[in-house]
Amino acid sequence: MYTQGLDVKPGDKAIPLESGTSEAEQGFQGRIDRDDRIEPKDWMPEGYRKTLIRQISQHAHSEVVGMLPEGNWITRAPSLRRKAVLLAKVQDEAGHGLYLYSAAETLGVSRAELVEQLLSGKAKYSSIFNYPTTTWADIGAIGWLVDGAAIMNQIPLCRCSYGPYARAMIRICKEESFHQRQGYEIMLALSRGSDAQKAMAQDALDRWWWPSLMMFGPSDKDSPHSAQSMRWGIKRISNDDLRQKFVDVTVPQAEYLGLKMPDPDLAWNEARGHYDFGAIDWEELKQVISGNGPCNKSRMKARRDAHAEGAWVREAALAHAEKRRARALKKAG
Amino acid sequence: MTDIAKDQLFEYLLRLGDSSLILGQRLSEWCGHGPELEEDIALINIALDLIGQARSLLTYAGEVEGRGRDEDGLAFLRDGTDYRNLLLVEQPNQDFAYTIARQFLFDAFHLEQQRALMGSRDETLAAIAGKSVKEVTYHLRHSSEWLVRLGDGTPLSHGKMQTALDDLWMYSGEMFEMDALEAALAEAGVAPDRAALRPAWEARVAAVIEEATLQRPDDGWMQSGGLRGRHSEHLGHILAEMQHLQRAHPGAQW
Amino acid sequence: MSSRDWPLFEVFIRSRNGLSHKHVGSLHAADAGMALENARDVYTRRAEGVSIWVVPSTQIVASDPGEKDAFFEPTADKIYRHPTFYDIPDDVKNI
């Protein structure tokens, strides 16, 4: 569903901030500047490779963990049509995680290593999935707001300089085009429904609005890696610009639903041609990313349990494949 | 051939639709918790096929009944005693071996049943079966291959697969039980005789179990009742979860 | 043991008869049969294909980007291989 500007802390030496000055590095930067695409076996600076592995795997982890909050409502979807749609949507998230792990694997890292990083808590995923889905309206709000924010972030990534990532993103964006629409449709049904349903919709908007804005990552001035990512063509539009764009398109959609935005400072600014909005609670984002969100522990437990309980199945499948190979060899020999 | 009453056809459609629905619901519990990402996607595909079948069958059931109930009215507002699914499909997922055993035993039956239904005198039922057959053919391929992989995998997987098969075997007999209702439907050329589906099922199941290096469990006492609304304790929990929103907000549109 | 990945397979899909198979991505599977089914479930959810090839990723032999110039540059000046290289008066038809 989406990658966040989960930049490493300033001072993290693992990923060099500067592009080098060697001939290879300058040639590489030249290709990026000419809008050439980089492919797996091409030479690339170590920082570029590491940045990509980190970003693509965070994105993949987000898709996979993102299956959980929505999966929470599949067995309780209020109609068979909604159940089928939600299943198909969550299945898409699994597919997108898979495409992204595959893209990351072209950079010389295995899925097993990436999964291990997620399960050990070393790798991050989008903060948004650490919030609970407590009512059916949350499924609407996630589709409308979270997928809406995701699409905004992902469309520029279709032009990412790294070929396999860009191709995965094109496929993902194409498939996700129904995700936001189905979410908004749920919100529409609720906001035209009973008083209880309307209240459910408003409550979901109240809880998901601010976390959705946080999905765009820290403010540009606090985002040390953004500039380098822009130079490398990994990032195309800044966190703050995307966030503003999201606010501008979403406010009228909320008005159409007859819902109230949970931000007293939200107002159209004629001079800027944009909506002004209130201050984001960056401390909350920091806390959620560092493990203190309402659901961090349960999400990780669910992933760890699935991985651990699936181990004997994965092993058995490999063992069976080996037996078959051995039998075929014996037959041929 | 004889004519059949609407309520007989309605009852039979519930038996078909409810089994697909409840198994689809059970499989959807796996979503996000599968042993590997690829398998998560595969299980959801099967769940989606089953829920799609249930929607067609329950919609048709509502039309036949003629009391204004649609697919959701039938799925979300009937009590457990009015559900007509097989006991097998309401059994819990437990682990991947149970899920595969349940799926395999059902798929092997389901395929024969849907094939036979393609020749039903009821055109709507025949058309639904024509679509389902393609889906179920794939389901059976998937569950058969997994049964073989797990049976003939590691000693651990072999043991788990055998246990699952042994435990679920007592629910396999119900699939082939005939009663007066279905005898009348068979007479009228609307539904197949369940007993007639058994030889093909037996042959398939025996072959796959053998390839999986597993033992076919003995036919002991068989559980039954699901088709008449006598269920295990599990169905009540499935419905409590599935029907919760519709029950809590009567008449609401979603 | 449990952290051992299933092998990686590359997936190629023919979107409709008349077209060639095209690389669409990769996936993990314990064996070729599973790879084919996984490819069906993962890459043809929206009726994207009528035929699937899966190939173990380790079996793909690829050219080296470092040899790109030696491999591909020499054809750049052989423009006589293209029909537009030849001047034919507009009056001459059907050629």
Side-chain angles (χ1 to χ4, degrees), chain C:
Chain C
M1 268 293 260
S2 64
S3 65
R4 191 160 54 122
D5 267 332
W6 285 341
L8 195 62
F9 286 81
E10 300 300 321
V11 181
F12 301 81
I13 293 192
R14 185 202 298 287
S15 55
R16 59 185 164 85
N17 280 350
L19 299 179
S20 46
H21 287 74
K22 190 176 162 220
H23 184 243
V24 294
S26 59
L27 49 73
H28 289 273
D31 54 59
M34 191 201 281
L36 210 49
E37 287 173 27
N38 288 349
R40 177 258 196 194
D41 288 327
V42 173
Y43 287 104
T44 67
R45 298 200 303 287
R46 287 170 171 80
E48 292 96 334
V50 295
S51 166
I52 302 174
W53 289 346
V54 290
V55 182
S57 305
T58 50
Q59 297 292 310
I60 303 260
V61 183
S63 63
D64 179 353
E67 291 182 308
K68 194 172 107 217
D69 290 352
F71 260 62
F72 306 111
E73 281 292 314
T75 66
D77 65 350
K78 299 185 178 57
I79 49 176
Y80 42 78
R81 284 189 174 124
H82 300 280
T84 46
F85 177 74
Y86 302 93
D87 276 333
I88 305 285
D90 287 348
D91 300 342
V92 184
K93 301 296 179 197
N94 300 318
I95 188 160

Side-chain angles (χ1 to χ4, degrees), chain A residues 64 67-68 71 73-85 87-88 90-91 94-95 97-98 101 111 136 186 189-190 194 196-197 200 302-303 306 310 312-317 319-320 323-324 327, chain B residues 21 25 28-29 31-38 40-42 44-45 47-48 51 54-55 58 71-72 75-76 95-97 146 148-150 152-154 156-157 160 211 241-242 244-246 249 252-254:
Chain A
V64 173
M67 295 171 72
L68 299 170
W73 279 91
I74 288 173
T75 56
R76 292 179 289 170
S79 72
L80 294 183
R81 175 174 177 269
R82 292 280 179 221
K83 189 187 290 291
V85 168
L87 265 170
V90 179
Q91 183 188 45
L98 196 153
Y101 281 131
R111 191 195 291 181
W136 171 250
I186 291 174
L190 294 175
S194 67
Q197 286 177 303
M200 206 187 271
R303 287 313 313 156
W312 69 270
V313 178
R314 295 191 298 275
E315 276 307 311
H320 179 70
K323 281 184 187 176
R324 278 216 169 152
R327 273 178 222 146
Chain B
L21 175 58
Q25 175 79 359
S28 72
E29 293 171 17
C31 186
H33 308 279
E36 185 58 280
L37 209 41
E38 281 83 351
D40 243 296
I41 295 170
I44 300 172
N45 262 351
L48 278 171
I51 287 165
R55 293 181 66 184
L58 293 181
E71 59 181 44
D72 290 331
F76 293 93
D95 64 10
F96 195 67
W146 269 112
V148 172
R149 275 188 203 107
L150 298 180
D152 188 22
T154 61
L156 176 66
S157 71
K160 281 178 183 280
E211 197 191 342
E241 189 172 339
M242 186 174 91
H244 142 74
L245 276 172
Q246 288 262 359
H249 302 266
Q253 298 296 309
W254 300 94

Side-chain angles (χ1 to χ4, degrees), chain B residues 97-118:
Chain B
Y98 273 84
T99 299
I100 290 298
R102 182 184 65 200
Q103 196 67 37
F104 171 68
L105 295 176
F106 179 72
D107 290 344
F109 158 78
H110 202 198
L111 180 60
E112 297 307 326
Q113 184 192 43
Q114 296 300 314
R115 272 188 187 151
L117 279 170
M118 285 173 71

Side-chain angles (χ1 to χ4, degrees), chain B residues 188-234:
Chain B
V190 171
D193 181 340
R194 287 173 182 265
L197 305 176
R198 184 146 202 162
W201 181 86
E202 285 284 359
R204 166 92 62 172
V205 167
V208 178
I209 284 180
E210 193 194 335
E211 197 191 342
T213 71
L214 296 164
Q215 294 293 317
R216 181 193 184 283
D218 293 331
D219 290 327
W221 179 253
M222 291 289 174
Q223 302 299 317
S224 80
L227 298 176
R228 289 174 282 118
R230 297 267 177 95
H231 293 278
S232 60
E233 289 179 347
H234 304 296

